[in-house]
Amino acid sequence: MTRGPRRSVQPDAVLDAALELIDEGALTMRALAARVGLTPGALYTYFPDRAAIVTAIADRLLAEADLSLLDDPAEPPHRRIENYALALREVLLAHPAAVPAILGAAFNGPMALRVGESLLRVLPDARATYTVMVYVLGAIALEAADRVTGSTPSFELDPAEFPLTSGQIDVILAYNSAEQFQWGLGRVLSGLS
Amino acid sequence: MTRGPRRSVQPDAVLDAALELIDEGALTMRALAARVGLTPGALYTYFPDRAAIVTAIADRLLAEADLSLLDDPAEPPHRRIENYALALREVLLAHPAAVPAILGAAFNGPMALRVGESLLRVLPDARATYTVMVYVLGAIALEAADRVTGSTPSFELDPAEFPLTSGQIDVILAYNSAEQFQWGLGRVLSGLS
DNA sequence: ACCTGAACACCGTTCAAGT
DNA sequence: ACCTGAACACCGTTCAAGT
């Protein structure tokens, strides 16, 4: 039914290259065109503009986390959410520089709707579902920001001015861990019960 | 002690103009220079680069939320956090386009340390404090993203494919409200008790 | 120290023209 | 429809030269 290959590259290949460039630190139309062997102008046959490429990547990343984890009948509801949240964290933190775009397009893409619907199946109160999404996306966004900036920046910390912060500095430096992520999610879920 | 005015504009005036331009949708060094009556190159006497301007703005916005709300002895701990969180939300959502920068520089600026220390005074467990920050900043980031994109985009929603989403569409459209923000924060805090 | 003018090395996007 | 080549209207940053 589909016509033969008229384009020299597949749209998915363009998105692959675009994600690579984001991971490398800078996505530009010119670099993207060069990577797929095209002229910059030719990209506008594939996507209307740069923003469309970014939101397409956001939706594709969202699709990489296994949504069926939320429907696993072998697990209790809270654990299903935990499993999916951890999977999503893994997928998104593999591409920290792409995370801001995901936050930006969080509820626009088709995949976001599917995630929301699946979450509602296990946590039927929409307010509770939204609270979970806020926690999960917020934690991932903060971790991602930390990774792109280059982790914690030398930390000039005066113990006299910041006694409590200094006293728990070991915990604070461990903020960005799956353990802290999971601990907080557990507290959030318990507060929603 | 300080010398007389050698510069034609104050650094704070540069930041004011920069925030204006962010609010208007695009901060460029050239537009910023024009607004304060300088040549683009002259800006590099004030700030080393564009990124420094953005993080300075982030820290200044963070400073606008009244931190003393966290130490108000007339209020119980949870309500102090609620009051501060609502104040911060108000300050940041007044400049939604600047919010991503705040997320990015969340823990680097001097003001962020002060916020953290104050939070630890009312919620002494660093893990709990971080969980609250994740919720608060996550909620603000999602609301801000929604505002810059231009609120909810026409919403093509098939009730057959997304029955639960459709059934609570009224709640979902009210996601971005101080009420939802406060409700979720209450649940988070109760989970942390 | 502060500022200008001019340059350097880039951007995203458009569009006539070719196939 | 897809693609090239070239242009348009921008960027951030640097730097000699002036005050």
Side-chain angles (χ1 to χ4, degrees):
Chain A
M1 214 45 121
T2 53
R3 299 276 189 67
R6 316 280 297 287
R7 331 179 78 118
S8 62
V9 293
Q10 300 296 329
D12 267 348
V14 175
L15 292 180
D16 287 337
L19 182 53
E20 275 178 32
L21 286 167
I22 289 177
D23 289 342
E24 291 166 18
L27 166 63
T28 71
M29 298 302 271
R30 294 170 123 97
L32 178 56
R35 187 150 303 192
V36 296
L38 289 176
T39 257
L43 291 174
Y44 294 82
T45 307
Y46 293 78
F47 298 94
D49 52 28
R50 205 195 98 109
I53 295 177
V54 171
T55 69
I57 288 175
D59 208 65
R60 238 178 42 155
L61 280 178
L62 217 53
E64 272 184 37
D66 183 6
L67 209 48
S68 77
L69 289 168
L70 285 171
D71 292 308
D72 187 348
E75 302 281 2
H78 279 197
R79 184 145 298 200
R80 289 183 222 170
I81 292 176
E82 225 174 75
N83 288 341
Y84 175 71
L86 283 166
L88 184 63
R89 175 179 175 276
E90 209 65 40
V91 165
L92 298 189
L93 289 186
H95 306 280
V99 167
I102 291 157
L103 261 279
F107 303 111
N108 299 12
M111 200 56 206
L113 270 181
R114 298 173 54 78
V115 173
E117 180 78 11
S118 291
L119 272 172
L120 283 172
R121 257 191 310 266
V122 28
L123 206 65
D125 182 345
R127 294 177 306 169
T129 289
Y130 185 67
T131 301
V132 168
M133 287 171 64
V134 161
Y135 173 80
V136 169
L137 292 178
I140 293 171
L142 290 181
E143 283 199 60
D146 207 72
R147 294 193 188 190
V148 289
T149 322
S151 71
T152 343
S154 61
F155 244 74
E156 202 69 59
L157 190 60
D158 178 9
E161 196 179 355
F162 303 104
L164 301 177
T165 307
S166 303
Q168 300 196 67
I169 190 64
D170 52 329
V171 180
I172 288 162
L173 289 177
Y175 272 171
N176 294 336
S177 69
E179 286 74 25
Q180 166 66 30
F181 177 78
Q182 201 165 357
W183 183 87
L185 180 55
R187 300 292 84 217
V188 170
L189 289 173
S190 106
L192 290 168
S193 297
Chain B
M1 210 45 119
T2 53
R3 298 278 188 67
R6 314 280 298 286
R7 330 180 80 117
S8 61
V9 292
Q10 301 295 329
D12 267 348
V14 176
L15 291 181
D16 286 339
L19 183 54
E20 274 178 32
L21 286 167
I22 290 177
D23 288 343
E24 291 166 18
L27 166 63
T28 72
M29 298 301 273
R30 294 171 125 96
L32 178 55
R35 187 151 303 192
V36 298
L38 289 175
T39 255
L43 291 174
Y44 293 82
T45 308
Y46 294 78
F47 297 95
D49 53 26
R50 204 196 97 111
I53 294 177
V54 171
T55 70
I57 288 175
D59 208 66
R60 235 178 44 156
L61 279 179
L62 217 51
E64 270 183 38
D66 182 7
L67 209 47
S68 76
L69 289 169
L70 285 171
D71 293 307
D72 187 348
E75 300 281 1
H78 279 197
R79 183 145 299 201
R80 288 183 222 170
I81 292 176
E82 224 174 76
N83 288 341
Y84 175 71
L86 283 167
L88 184 63
R89 175 178 175 278
E90 210 64 39
V91 165
L92 297 189
L93 289 186
H95 306 279
V99 167
I102 291 156
L103 261 278
F107 302 111
N108 300 14
M111 199 57 205
L113 270 181
R114 297 173 54 78
V115 173
E117 181 78 12
S118 292
L119 271 172
L120 282 172
R121 261 196 304 273
V122 28
L123 205 64
D125 181 345
R127 294 178 305 170
T129 289
Y130 185 67
T131 301
V132 169
M133 287 170 64
V134 161
Y135 173 80
V136 169
L137 292 177
I140 293 170
L142 290 183
E143 282 199 61
D146 206 71
R147 293 193 189 192
V148 288
T149 321
S151 71
T152 343
S154 60
F155 243 77
E156 202 68 58
L157 190 59
D158 177 9
E161 197 179 355
F162 303 105
L164 300 177
T165 306
S166 302
Q168 300 195 66
I169 191 63
D170 52 329
V171 180
I172 288 163
L173 289 177
Y175 272 172
N176 294 337
S177 68
E179 286 74 25
Q180 167 66 30
F181 177 78
Q182 201 166 355
W183 183 87
L185 180 55
R187 301 293 82 217
V188 170
L189 289 172
S190 105
L192 290 168
S193 297

